[in-house]
Amino acid sequence: MASDRRRNCTCCGKHDSEVGPISWRGNCAACGTALLTENVLGIANREGPAHLRRLRGIAQRLERDYLDAMARKP
Ligand SMILES: [Zn+2]
C-alpha cells in the first residue's frame, strides 16, 4: 500500500516519480524486496544484522519472562 505522505524512498533516496509508489514503511518496491530478501536469508543462514536483531528480540523476551517469574515467586 502506498503512502501519499512520502515522496522519496528512505533506503535509496530516489523520488517516487522515478521508482514508483513509496510504501508506508518508506521503501520503494525494489528496496522493499531487497530488504525482505536480506531479512529472510539472514535469519535462515543465522548471520548478519537480521539474525542479530532476532536474537536481541528473543533475549528481551526471555528476560521479561524471567523477571515476571521472579516477581510471582513468594
Ligand atoms: Zn528505494
Side-chain angles (χ1 to χ4, degrees):
M1 179 177 266
S3 167
D4 290 335
R5 298 178 309 150
R6 299 183 191 273
R7 289 287 162 235
N8 295 314
C9 175
T10 56
C11 187
C12 66
K14 293 181 180 172
H15 195 261
D16 65 347
S17 63
E18 187 178 353
V19 293
I22 306 295
S23 71
W24 282 95
R25 301 286 278 178
N27 301 314
C28 66
C31 289
T33 302
L35 291 169
L36 174 66
T37 303
E38 180 185 320
N39 280 335
V40 169
L41 291 178
I43 289 171
N45 296 331
R46 297 175 185 236
E47 62 187 17
H51 175 59
L52 294 177
R53 206 169 34 244
R54 181 170 179 259
L55 283 181
R56 215 171 23 249
I58 292 169
Q60 288 171 347
R61 174 60 193 257
L62 289 174
E63 187 177 345
R64 268 196 312 268
D65 287 353
Y66 178 75
L67 291 174
D68 284 348
M70 290 298 107
R72 276 186 248 125
K73 197 173 180 180

Short mmCIF file of all heavy atoms in Angstrom, two decimals:
data_model
loop_
_atom_site.label_atom_id
_atom_site.label_comp_id
_atom_site.label_asym_id
_atom_site.label_seq_id
_atom_site.Cartn_x
_atom_site.Cartn_y
_atom_site.Cartn_z
N MET A 1 0.86 -1.19 0.00
CA MET A 1 0.00 0.00 0.00
C MET A 1 0.89 1.24 0.00
O MET A 1 1.84 1.33 0.75
CB MET A 1 -0.90 -0.02 1.22
CG MET A 1 -1.79 1.20 1.31
SD MET A 1 -2.89 1.11 2.71
CE MET A 1 -4.31 0.39 1.93
N ALA A 2 0.57 2.15 -0.85
CA ALA A 2 1.41 3.34 -0.99
C ALA A 2 1.02 4.42 0.01
O ALA A 2 -0.11 4.51 0.45
CB ALA A 2 1.26 3.89 -2.40
N SER A 3 2.01 5.24 0.37
CA SER A 3 1.79 6.36 1.28
C SER A 3 1.82 7.65 0.47
O SER A 3 2.71 7.86 -0.33
CB SER A 3 2.89 6.38 2.33
OG SER A 3 2.89 7.60 3.03
N ASP A 4 0.83 8.51 0.69
CA ASP A 4 0.81 9.80 0.00
C ASP A 4 1.72 10.81 0.68
O ASP A 4 2.03 11.85 0.11
CB ASP A 4 -0.61 10.35 -0.06
CG ASP A 4 -1.49 9.53 -0.99
OD1 ASP A 4 -0.94 8.90 -1.90
OD2 ASP A 4 -2.71 9.52 -0.79
N ARG A 5 2.15 10.53 1.91
CA ARG A 5 2.98 11.47 2.67
C ARG A 5 4.41 11.49 2.17
O ARG A 5 5.09 12.48 2.29
CB ARG A 5 2.99 11.11 4.15
CG ARG A 5 1.65 11.17 4.83
CD ARG A 5 1.74 10.74 6.26
NE ARG A 5 2.41 9.46 6.38
CZ ARG A 5 3.13 9.08 7.42
NH1 ARG A 5 3.31 9.87 8.42
NH2 ARG A 5 3.70 7.89 7.46
N ARG A 6 4.89 10.37 1.65
CA ARG A 6 6.30 10.27 1.27
C ARG A 6 6.50 10.50 -0.21
O ARG A 6 5.72 10.06 -1.04
CB ARG A 6 6.85 8.91 1.66
CG ARG A 6 6.80 8.64 3.15
CD ARG A 6 7.43 7.30 3.43
NE ARG A 6 7.20 6.86 4.78
CZ ARG A 6 7.99 7.19 5.79
NH1 ARG A 6 9.03 7.93 5.60
NH2 ARG A 6 7.72 6.76 6.99
N ARG A 7 7.58 11.17 -0.54
CA ARG A 7 7.93 11.41 -1.93
C ARG A 7 9.25 10.74 -2.29
O ARG A 7 9.53 10.51 -3.46
CB ARG A 7 8.04 12.92 -2.20
CG ARG A 7 6.72 13.60 -2.18
CD ARG A 7 5.94 13.23 -3.44
NE ARG A 7 4.53 13.51 -3.30
CZ ARG A 7 3.56 12.61 -3.48
NH1 ARG A 7 3.86 11.40 -3.81
NH2 ARG A 7 2.31 12.94 -3.33
N ASN A 8 10.11 10.44 -1.27
CA ASN A 8 11.41 9.81 -1.52
C ASN A 8 11.53 8.52 -0.72
O ASN A 8 11.05 8.43 0.42
CB ASN A 8 12.55 10.75 -1.11
CG ASN A 8 12.59 11.99 -1.97
OD1 ASN A 8 12.50 11.91 -3.19
ND2 ASN A 8 12.71 13.14 -1.34
N CYS A 9 12.20 7.55 -1.30
CA CYS A 9 12.47 6.28 -0.62
C CYS A 9 13.47 6.53 0.51
O CYS A 9 14.47 7.22 0.31
CB CYS A 9 13.01 5.26 -1.62
SG CYS A 9 13.50 3.71 -0.88
N THR A 10 13.21 5.99 1.69
CA THR A 10 14.12 6.19 2.82
C THR A 10 15.38 5.34 2.67
O THR A 10 16.35 5.56 3.38
CB THR A 10 13.44 5.84 4.15
OG1 THR A 10 12.97 4.51 4.08
CG2 THR A 10 12.29 6.79 4.44
N CYS A 11 15.36 4.37 1.78
CA CYS A 11 16.51 3.48 1.60
C CYS A 11 17.44 4.01 0.51
O CYS A 11 18.61 4.25 0.76
CB CYS A 11 16.01 2.09 1.28
SG CYS A 11 17.28 0.84 1.22
N CYS A 12 16.91 4.22 -0.69
CA CYS A 12 17.76 4.65 -1.80
C CYS A 12 17.67 6.15 -2.06
O CYS A 12 18.51 6.72 -2.76
CB CYS A 12 17.42 3.88 -3.07
SG CYS A 12 15.77 4.21 -3.72
N GLY A 13 16.64 6.81 -1.49
CA GLY A 13 16.51 8.25 -1.61
C GLY A 13 15.94 8.74 -2.92
O GLY A 13 15.83 9.94 -3.14
N LYS A 14 15.53 7.83 -3.79
CA LYS A 14 15.01 8.24 -5.11
C LYS A 14 13.57 8.73 -4.98
O LYS A 14 12.82 8.30 -4.11
CB LYS A 14 15.09 7.08 -6.10
CG LYS A 14 16.51 6.70 -6.42
CD LYS A 14 16.58 5.58 -7.42
CE LYS A 14 18.02 5.22 -7.74
NZ LYS A 14 18.14 4.02 -8.56
N HIS A 15 13.20 9.64 -5.88
CA HIS A 15 11.86 10.24 -5.90
C HIS A 15 10.84 9.24 -6.43
O HIS A 15 11.17 8.37 -7.23
CB HIS A 15 11.89 11.51 -6.77
CG HIS A 15 10.70 12.38 -6.55
ND1 HIS A 15 9.64 12.36 -7.41
CD2 HIS A 15 10.41 13.28 -5.57
CE1 HIS A 15 8.72 13.22 -6.97
NE2 HIS A 15 9.18 13.80 -5.86
N ASP A 16 9.60 9.39 -5.97
CA ASP A 16 8.56 8.44 -6.40
C ASP A 16 8.24 8.54 -7.89
O ASP A 16 7.71 7.60 -8.47
CB ASP A 16 7.30 8.57 -5.55
CG ASP A 16 6.60 9.91 -5.72
OD1 ASP A 16 7.20 10.83 -6.29
OD2 ASP A 16 5.45 10.03 -5.24
N SER A 17 8.57 9.66 -8.50
CA SER A 17 8.38 9.76 -9.96
C SER A 17 9.35 8.85 -10.70
O SER A 17 9.10 8.45 -11.84
CB SER A 17 8.57 11.20 -10.42
OG SER A 17 9.90 11.63 -10.16
N GLU A 18 10.45 8.48 -10.03
CA GLU A 18 11.46 7.62 -10.64
C GLU A 18 11.25 6.14 -10.31
O GLU A 18 11.42 5.28 -11.16
CB GLU A 18 12.84 8.07 -10.13
CG GLU A 18 14.01 7.40 -10.79
CD GLU A 18 15.33 7.93 -10.26
OE1 GLU A 18 15.32 8.89 -9.47
OE2 GLU A 18 16.36 7.36 -10.62
N VAL A 19 10.88 5.86 -9.04
CA VAL A 19 10.82 4.46 -8.58
C VAL A 19 9.39 3.96 -8.36
O VAL A 19 9.19 2.81 -8.01
CB VAL A 19 11.64 4.26 -7.29
CG1 VAL A 19 13.10 4.45 -7.57
CG2 VAL A 19 11.15 5.19 -6.19
N GLY A 20 8.39 4.81 -8.52
CA GLY A 20 7.02 4.39 -8.30
C GLY A 20 6.58 4.70 -6.89
O GLY A 20 7.25 5.44 -6.17
N PRO A 21 5.44 4.13 -6.47
CA PRO A 21 4.88 4.46 -5.16
C PRO A 21 5.81 4.05 -4.01
O PRO A 21 6.53 3.05 -4.10
CB PRO A 21 3.58 3.66 -5.10
CG PRO A 21 3.45 2.93 -6.37
CD PRO A 21 4.63 3.18 -7.22
N ILE A 22 5.76 4.86 -2.95
CA ILE A 22 6.55 4.60 -1.74
C ILE A 22 5.61 4.00 -0.69
O ILE A 22 4.51 4.50 -0.48
CB ILE A 22 7.17 5.91 -1.20
CG1 ILE A 22 7.96 6.63 -2.29
CG2 ILE A 22 8.03 5.65 0.02
CD1 ILE A 22 9.17 5.91 -2.79
N SER A 23 6.06 2.93 -0.03
CA SER A 23 5.21 2.24 0.95
C SER A 23 5.11 3.07 2.24
O SER A 23 5.84 4.04 2.44
CB SER A 23 5.79 0.87 1.28
OG SER A 23 6.97 1.01 2.04
N TRP A 24 4.21 2.65 3.13
CA TRP A 24 4.08 3.32 4.43
C TRP A 24 5.34 3.20 5.25
O TRP A 24 5.62 4.01 6.12
CB TRP A 24 2.89 2.76 5.20
CG TRP A 24 1.60 3.30 4.70
CD1 TRP A 24 0.78 2.72 3.78
CD2 TRP A 24 1.01 4.56 5.05
NE1 TRP A 24 -0.29 3.55 3.55
CE2 TRP A 24 -0.18 4.67 4.31
CE3 TRP A 24 1.38 5.57 5.92
CZ2 TRP A 24 -1.01 5.78 4.42
CZ3 TRP A 24 0.54 6.67 6.02
CH2 TRP A 24 -0.63 6.77 5.28
N ARG A 25 6.12 2.16 5.04
CA ARG A 25 7.40 1.98 5.74
C ARG A 25 8.49 2.84 5.13
O ARG A 25 9.58 2.92 5.65
CB ARG A 25 7.83 0.51 5.71
CG ARG A 25 6.84 -0.44 6.34
CD ARG A 25 6.85 -0.34 7.81
NE ARG A 25 7.94 -1.13 8.34
CZ ARG A 25 8.22 -1.22 9.63
NH1 ARG A 25 7.52 -0.58 10.49
NH2 ARG A 25 9.22 -1.95 10.03
N GLY A 26 8.22 3.46 3.99
CA GLY A 26 9.16 4.40 3.39
C GLY A 26 10.06 3.81 2.32
O GLY A 26 11.05 4.43 1.95
N ASN A 27 9.71 2.64 1.81
CA ASN A 27 10.56 1.99 0.81
C ASN A 27 9.89 1.93 -0.55
O ASN A 27 8.67 1.77 -0.64
CB ASN A 27 10.89 0.55 1.24
CG ASN A 27 11.58 0.50 2.57
OD1 ASN A 27 12.52 1.25 2.80
ND2 ASN A 27 11.13 -0.36 3.45
N CYS A 28 10.70 2.02 -1.60
CA CYS A 28 10.17 1.76 -2.94
C CYS A 28 10.07 0.24 -3.11
O CYS A 28 10.53 -0.52 -2.25
CB CYS A 28 11.09 2.38 -3.99
SG CYS A 28 12.73 1.64 -4.11
N ALA A 29 9.48 -0.20 -4.19
CA ALA A 29 9.25 -1.64 -4.39
C ALA A 29 10.57 -2.41 -4.44
O ALA A 29 10.70 -3.48 -3.84
CB ALA A 29 8.45 -1.87 -5.66
N ALA A 30 11.57 -1.87 -5.14
CA ALA A 30 12.85 -2.58 -5.27
C ALA A 30 13.56 -2.68 -3.92
O ALA A 30 14.08 -3.75 -3.56
CB ALA A 30 13.74 -1.85 -6.28
N CYS A 31 13.59 -1.59 -3.15
CA CYS A 31 14.25 -1.62 -1.83
C CYS A 31 13.48 -2.51 -0.86
O CYS A 31 14.08 -3.23 -0.07
CB CYS A 31 14.37 -0.21 -1.26
SG CYS A 31 15.56 0.81 -2.14
N GLY A 32 12.14 -2.48 -0.92
CA GLY A 32 11.34 -3.33 -0.05
C GLY A 32 11.62 -4.80 -0.31
O GLY A 32 11.79 -5.59 0.63
N THR A 33 11.71 -5.17 -1.56
CA THR A 33 12.01 -6.57 -1.92
C THR A 33 13.41 -6.95 -1.48
O THR A 33 13.63 -8.04 -0.95
CB THR A 33 11.85 -6.77 -3.44
OG1 THR A 33 10.52 -6.40 -3.81
CG2 THR A 33 12.11 -8.20 -3.84
N ALA A 34 14.38 -6.03 -1.67
CA ALA A 34 15.77 -6.31 -1.27
C ALA A 34 15.88 -6.47 0.24
O ALA A 34 16.57 -7.38 0.73
CB ALA A 34 16.68 -5.19 -1.76
N LEU A 35 15.19 -5.60 1.00
CA LEU A 35 15.24 -5.69 2.46
C LEU A 35 14.57 -6.97 2.95
O LEU A 35 15.06 -7.63 3.88
CB LEU A 35 14.57 -4.47 3.09
CG LEU A 35 15.31 -3.15 2.91
CD1 LEU A 35 14.43 -1.97 3.33
CD2 LEU A 35 16.61 -3.15 3.69
N LEU A 36 13.46 -7.34 2.32
CA LEU A 36 12.77 -8.58 2.69
C LEU A 36 13.67 -9.78 2.45
O LEU A 36 13.81 -10.65 3.31
CB LEU A 36 11.47 -8.71 1.89
CG LEU A 36 10.71 -10.02 2.07
CD1 LEU A 36 10.18 -10.13 3.49
CD2 LEU A 36 9.58 -10.11 1.07
N THR A 37 14.31 -9.81 1.29
CA THR A 37 15.21 -10.92 0.95
C THR A 37 16.38 -10.98 1.93
O THR A 37 16.74 -12.07 2.41
CB THR A 37 15.73 -10.74 -0.49
OG1 THR A 37 14.61 -10.66 -1.37
CG2 THR A 37 16.62 -11.89 -0.90
N GLU A 38 16.95 -9.81 2.26
CA GLU A 38 18.06 -9.77 3.20
C GLU A 38 17.65 -10.31 4.58
O GLU A 38 18.38 -11.07 5.21
CB GLU A 38 18.56 -8.34 3.32
CG GLU A 38 19.72 -8.15 4.28
CD GLU A 38 20.08 -6.68 4.43
OE1 GLU A 38 20.06 -5.96 3.43
OE2 GLU A 38 20.38 -6.28 5.57
N ASN A 39 16.45 -9.93 5.02
CA ASN A 39 15.97 -10.41 6.32
C ASN A 39 15.72 -11.91 6.31
O ASN A 39 16.14 -12.61 7.23
CB ASN A 39 14.68 -9.67 6.70
CG ASN A 39 14.96 -8.31 7.27
OD1 ASN A 39 16.04 -8.05 7.79
ND2 ASN A 39 14.00 -7.42 7.16
N VAL A 40 15.05 -12.39 5.28
CA VAL A 40 14.74 -13.82 5.21
C VAL A 40 16.03 -14.65 5.15
O VAL A 40 16.19 -15.63 5.89
CB VAL A 40 13.83 -14.12 4.00
CG1 VAL A 40 13.72 -15.60 3.75
CG2 VAL A 40 12.46 -13.51 4.20
N LEU A 41 16.96 -14.25 4.28
CA LEU A 41 18.20 -15.01 4.15
C LEU A 41 19.07 -14.89 5.40
O LEU A 41 19.70 -15.86 5.83
CB LEU A 41 18.99 -14.53 2.92
CG LEU A 41 18.35 -14.86 1.57
CD1 LEU A 41 19.18 -14.29 0.43
CD2 LEU A 41 18.16 -16.36 1.41
N GLY A 42 19.10 -13.70 6.01
CA GLY A 42 19.90 -13.51 7.23
C GLY A 42 19.41 -14.38 8.37
O GLY A 42 20.21 -14.99 9.09
N ILE A 43 18.09 -14.45 8.53
CA ILE A 43 17.54 -15.27 9.61
C ILE A 43 17.74 -16.75 9.29
O ILE A 43 18.10 -17.54 10.17
CB ILE A 43 16.05 -14.93 9.82
CG1 ILE A 43 15.93 -13.54 10.45
CG2 ILE A 43 15.36 -15.98 10.66
CD1 ILE A 43 14.53 -12.99 10.51
N ALA A 44 17.54 -17.14 8.04
CA ALA A 44 17.69 -18.55 7.66
C ALA A 44 19.14 -19.01 7.80
O ALA A 44 19.39 -20.13 8.24
CB ALA A 44 17.20 -18.76 6.23
N ASN A 45 20.08 -18.14 7.43
CA ASN A 45 21.50 -18.51 7.47
C ASN A 45 22.17 -18.16 8.79
O ASN A 45 23.36 -18.44 8.98
CB ASN A 45 22.26 -17.82 6.33
CG ASN A 45 21.78 -18.30 4.97
OD1 ASN A 45 21.34 -19.44 4.83
ND2 ASN A 45 21.85 -17.43 3.99
N ARG A 46 21.42 -17.54 9.70
CA ARG A 46 21.93 -17.14 11.02
C ARG A 46 23.17 -16.27 10.92
O ARG A 46 24.21 -16.56 11.54
CB ARG A 46 22.20 -18.38 11.88
CG ARG A 46 20.95 -19.15 12.14
CD ARG A 46 21.23 -20.43 12.87
NE ARG A 46 19.99 -21.19 12.99
CZ ARG A 46 19.49 -21.59 14.13
NH1 ARG A 46 20.10 -21.32 15.25
NH2 ARG A 46 18.37 -22.25 14.16
N GLU A 47 23.06 -15.21 10.14
CA GLU A 47 24.16 -14.27 10.01
C GLU A 47 23.63 -12.89 9.64
O GLU A 47 22.53 -12.75 9.13
CB GLU A 47 25.15 -14.73 8.93
CG GLU A 47 24.53 -14.81 7.54
CD GLU A 47 25.45 -15.43 6.51
OE1 GLU A 47 26.41 -16.08 6.89
OE2 GLU A 47 25.17 -15.24 5.32
N GLY A 48 24.41 -11.85 9.95
CA GLY A 48 24.06 -10.50 9.56
C GLY A 48 23.16 -9.80 10.56
O GLY A 48 22.81 -10.35 11.61
N PRO A 49 22.79 -8.54 10.25
CA PRO A 49 22.02 -7.73 11.19
C PRO A 49 20.61 -8.28 11.48
O PRO A 49 20.10 -8.12 12.58
CB PRO A 49 21.93 -6.36 10.50
CG PRO A 49 22.34 -6.57 9.10
CD PRO A 49 23.16 -7.82 9.05
N ALA A 50 20.00 -8.94 10.51
CA ALA A 50 18.66 -9.51 10.74
C ALA A 50 18.71 -10.60 11.80
O ALA A 50 17.85 -10.68 12.67
CB ALA A 50 18.08 -10.05 9.44
N HIS A 51 19.74 -11.43 11.74
CA HIS A 51 19.89 -12.50 12.73
C HIS A 51 20.15 -11.91 14.12
O HIS A 51 19.55 -12.37 15.11
CB HIS A 51 21.05 -13.41 12.30
CG HIS A 51 21.37 -14.47 13.30
ND1 HIS A 51 20.45 -15.40 13.71
CD2 HIS A 51 22.51 -14.73 13.98
CE1 HIS A 51 21.02 -16.21 14.61
NE2 HIS A 51 22.27 -15.82 14.79
N LEU A 52 21.01 -10.89 14.20
CA LEU A 52 21.29 -10.26 15.49
C LEU A 52 20.04 -9.58 16.06
O LEU A 52 19.79 -9.65 17.26
CB LEU A 52 22.43 -9.25 15.35
CG LEU A 52 23.78 -9.85 15.01
CD1 LEU A 52 24.83 -8.74 14.83
CD2 LEU A 52 24.23 -10.83 16.09
N ARG A 53 19.25 -8.93 15.20
CA ARG A 53 18.01 -8.28 15.64
C ARG A 53 17.04 -9.33 16.19
O ARG A 53 16.41 -9.12 17.23
CB ARG A 53 17.41 -7.57 14.43
CG ARG A 53 16.53 -6.40 14.76
CD ARG A 53 16.17 -5.57 13.55
NE ARG A 53 16.00 -6.25 12.30
CZ ARG A 53 16.78 -6.06 11.24
NH1 ARG A 53 17.78 -5.20 11.28
NH2 ARG A 53 16.56 -6.71 10.12
N ARG A 54 16.97 -10.47 15.55
CA ARG A 54 16.09 -11.55 16.01
C ARG A 54 16.58 -12.11 17.35
O ARG A 54 15.77 -12.34 18.26
CB ARG A 54 16.04 -12.66 14.96
CG ARG A 54 15.15 -13.80 15.32
CD ARG A 54 14.98 -14.74 14.14
NE ARG A 54 14.14 -15.84 14.48
CZ ARG A 54 14.60 -17.06 14.79
NH1 ARG A 54 15.87 -17.30 14.76
NH2 ARG A 54 13.76 -18.01 15.10
N LEU A 55 17.89 -12.30 17.48
CA LEU A 55 18.44 -12.79 18.75
C LEU A 55 18.17 -11.81 19.89
O LEU A 55 17.85 -12.22 21.00
CB LEU A 55 19.95 -13.02 18.62
CG LEU A 55 20.39 -14.26 17.87
CD1 LEU A 55 21.92 -14.33 17.85
CD2 LEU A 55 19.82 -15.51 18.50
N ARG A 56 18.32 -10.51 19.59
CA ARG A 56 18.06 -9.49 20.61
C ARG A 56 16.60 -9.55 21.07
O ARG A 56 16.31 -9.45 22.25
CB ARG A 56 18.39 -8.11 20.03
CG ARG A 56 18.98 -7.16 21.02
CD ARG A 56 19.52 -5.87 20.43
NE ARG A 56 19.01 -5.44 19.15
CZ ARG A 56 19.73 -5.42 18.03
NH1 ARG A 56 20.99 -5.81 18.05
NH2 ARG A 56 19.20 -5.00 16.92
N GLY A 57 15.69 -9.74 20.15
CA GLY A 57 14.27 -9.85 20.49
C GLY A 57 13.99 -11.07 21.35
O GLY A 57 13.24 -10.99 22.32
N ILE A 58 14.63 -12.19 21.03
CA ILE A 58 14.45 -13.41 21.82
C ILE A 58 15.01 -13.20 23.23
O ILE A 58 14.38 -13.57 24.22
CB ILE A 58 15.12 -14.60 21.12
CG1 ILE A 58 14.39 -14.95 19.83
CG2 ILE A 58 15.19 -15.81 22.04
CD1 ILE A 58 15.13 -15.94 18.94
N ALA A 59 16.19 -12.57 23.33
CA ALA A 59 16.81 -12.33 24.63
C ALA A 59 15.93 -11.41 25.48
O ALA A 59 15.76 -11.65 26.69
CB ALA A 59 18.20 -11.72 24.44
N GLN A 60 15.35 -10.38 24.88
CA GLN A 60 14.48 -9.47 25.62
C GLN A 60 13.23 -10.21 26.11
O GLN A 60 12.77 -9.99 27.23
CB GLN A 60 14.08 -8.28 24.75
CG GLN A 60 15.22 -7.31 24.52
CD GLN A 60 14.88 -6.27 23.48
OE1 GLN A 60 13.90 -6.38 22.76
NE2 GLN A 60 15.72 -5.25 23.40
N ARG A 61 12.70 -11.08 25.30
CA ARG A 61 11.52 -11.85 25.69
C ARG A 61 11.84 -12.78 26.86
O ARG A 61 11.09 -12.86 27.84
CB ARG A 61 11.01 -12.66 24.49
CG ARG A 61 9.87 -13.59 24.81
CD ARG A 61 8.68 -12.82 25.35
NE ARG A 61 7.70 -13.70 25.93
CZ ARG A 61 6.56 -14.03 25.31
NH1 ARG A 61 6.30 -13.54 24.15
NH2 ARG A 61 5.71 -14.85 25.89
N LEU A 62 12.99 -13.46 26.80
CA LEU A 62 13.38 -14.35 27.89
C LEU A 62 13.60 -13.58 29.18
O LEU A 62 13.23 -14.04 30.26
CB LEU A 62 14.65 -15.12 27.49
CG LEU A 62 14.47 -16.18 26.40
CD1 LEU A 62 15.82 -16.75 26.01
CD2 LEU A 62 13.54 -17.28 26.89
N GLU A 63 14.22 -12.39 29.08
CA GLU A 63 14.47 -11.57 30.26
C GLU A 63 13.15 -11.14 30.90
O GLU A 63 12.99 -11.19 32.12
CB GLU A 63 15.31 -10.36 29.88
CG GLU A 63 15.75 -9.55 31.07
CD GLU A 63 16.64 -8.38 30.65
OE1 GLU A 63 17.12 -8.36 29.51
OE2 GLU A 63 16.80 -7.48 31.47
N ARG A 64 12.19 -10.73 30.06
CA ARG A 64 10.87 -10.33 30.59
C ARG A 64 10.18 -11.50 31.28
O ARG A 64 9.63 -11.34 32.38
CB ARG A 64 9.98 -9.83 29.45
CG ARG A 64 10.05 -8.35 29.22
CD ARG A 64 8.88 -7.88 28.37
NE ARG A 64 8.62 -8.66 27.20
CZ ARG A 64 9.13 -8.40 25.99
NH1 ARG A 64 9.92 -7.38 25.81
NH2 ARG A 64 8.84 -9.17 24.97
N ASP A 65 10.21 -12.68 30.66
CA ASP A 65 9.57 -13.85 31.26
C ASP A 65 10.24 -14.22 32.58
O ASP A 65 9.57 -14.58 33.55
CB ASP A 65 9.62 -15.04 30.30
CG ASP A 65 8.64 -14.87 29.15
OD1 ASP A 65 7.85 -13.91 29.17
OD2 ASP A 65 8.71 -15.69 28.20
N TYR A 66 11.57 -14.12 32.63
CA TYR A 66 12.30 -14.43 33.86
C TYR A 66 11.93 -13.45 34.96
O TYR A 66 11.65 -13.85 36.11
CB TYR A 66 13.81 -14.39 33.59
CG TYR A 66 14.64 -14.64 34.81
CD1 TYR A 66 14.76 -15.91 35.34
CD2 TYR A 66 15.29 -13.59 35.46
CE1 TYR A 66 15.50 -16.14 36.47
CE2 TYR A 66 16.04 -13.81 36.59
CZ TYR A 66 16.15 -15.08 37.10
OH TYR A 66 16.87 -15.30 38.23
N LEU A 67 11.89 -12.16 34.65
CA LEU A 67 11.53 -11.16 35.65
C LEU A 67 10.09 -11.35 36.13
O LEU A 67 9.81 -11.19 37.33
CB LEU A 67 11.72 -9.75 35.08
CG LEU A 67 13.17 -9.34 34.84
CD1 LEU A 67 13.23 -7.98 34.14
CD2 LEU A 67 13.94 -9.30 36.15
N ASP A 68 9.18 -11.71 35.22
CA ASP A 68 7.79 -11.98 35.63
C ASP A 68 7.74 -13.17 36.57
O ASP A 68 7.02 -13.15 37.57
CB ASP A 68 6.93 -12.24 34.41
CG ASP A 68 6.58 -10.99 33.65
OD1 ASP A 68 6.82 -9.88 34.19
OD2 ASP A 68 6.09 -11.11 32.51
N ALA A 69 8.50 -14.22 36.27
CA ALA A 69 8.51 -15.41 37.11
C ALA A 69 9.07 -15.09 38.50
O ALA A 69 8.57 -15.57 39.50
CB ALA A 69 9.32 -16.52 36.44
N MET A 70 10.12 -14.26 38.53
CA MET A 70 10.72 -13.88 39.83
C MET A 70 9.77 -12.99 40.64
O MET A 70 9.73 -13.07 41.87
CB MET A 70 12.04 -13.15 39.61
CG MET A 70 13.16 -14.03 39.10
SD MET A 70 13.59 -15.34 40.26
CE MET A 70 12.93 -16.77 39.44
N ALA A 71 8.98 -12.17 39.96
CA ALA A 71 8.05 -11.29 40.66
C ALA A 71 6.91 -12.08 41.29
O ALA A 71 6.39 -11.70 42.34
CB ALA A 71 7.47 -10.26 39.68
N ARG A 72 6.54 -13.20 40.68
CA ARG A 72 5.46 -14.04 41.21
C ARG A 72 5.93 -14.94 42.35
O ARG A 72 5.15 -15.43 43.12
CB ARG A 72 4.86 -14.90 40.11
CG ARG A 72 3.82 -14.16 39.31
CD ARG A 72 3.14 -15.06 38.32
NE ARG A 72 3.55 -14.60 36.99
CZ ARG A 72 4.11 -15.34 36.06
NH1 ARG A 72 4.32 -16.61 36.27
NH2 ARG A 72 4.45 -14.84 34.90
N LYS A 73 7.25 -15.15 42.44
CA LYS A 73 7.80 -16.05 43.44
C LYS A 73 7.57 -15.47 44.85
O LYS A 73 7.87 -14.30 45.08
CB LYS A 73 9.31 -16.20 43.17
CG LYS A 73 9.93 -17.39 43.84
CD LYS A 73 11.37 -17.52 43.35
CE LYS A 73 12.03 -18.70 44.01
NZ LYS A 73 13.41 -18.84 43.55
N PRO A 74 7.03 -16.25 45.79
CA PRO A 74 6.76 -15.71 47.13
C PRO A 74 7.99 -15.39 47.96
O PRO A 74 9.02 -15.86 47.77
CB PRO A 74 5.96 -16.80 47.81
CG PRO A 74 6.17 -18.04 47.04
CD PRO A 74 6.63 -17.66 45.68
ZN ZN B 1 14.35 2.64 -2.74
#
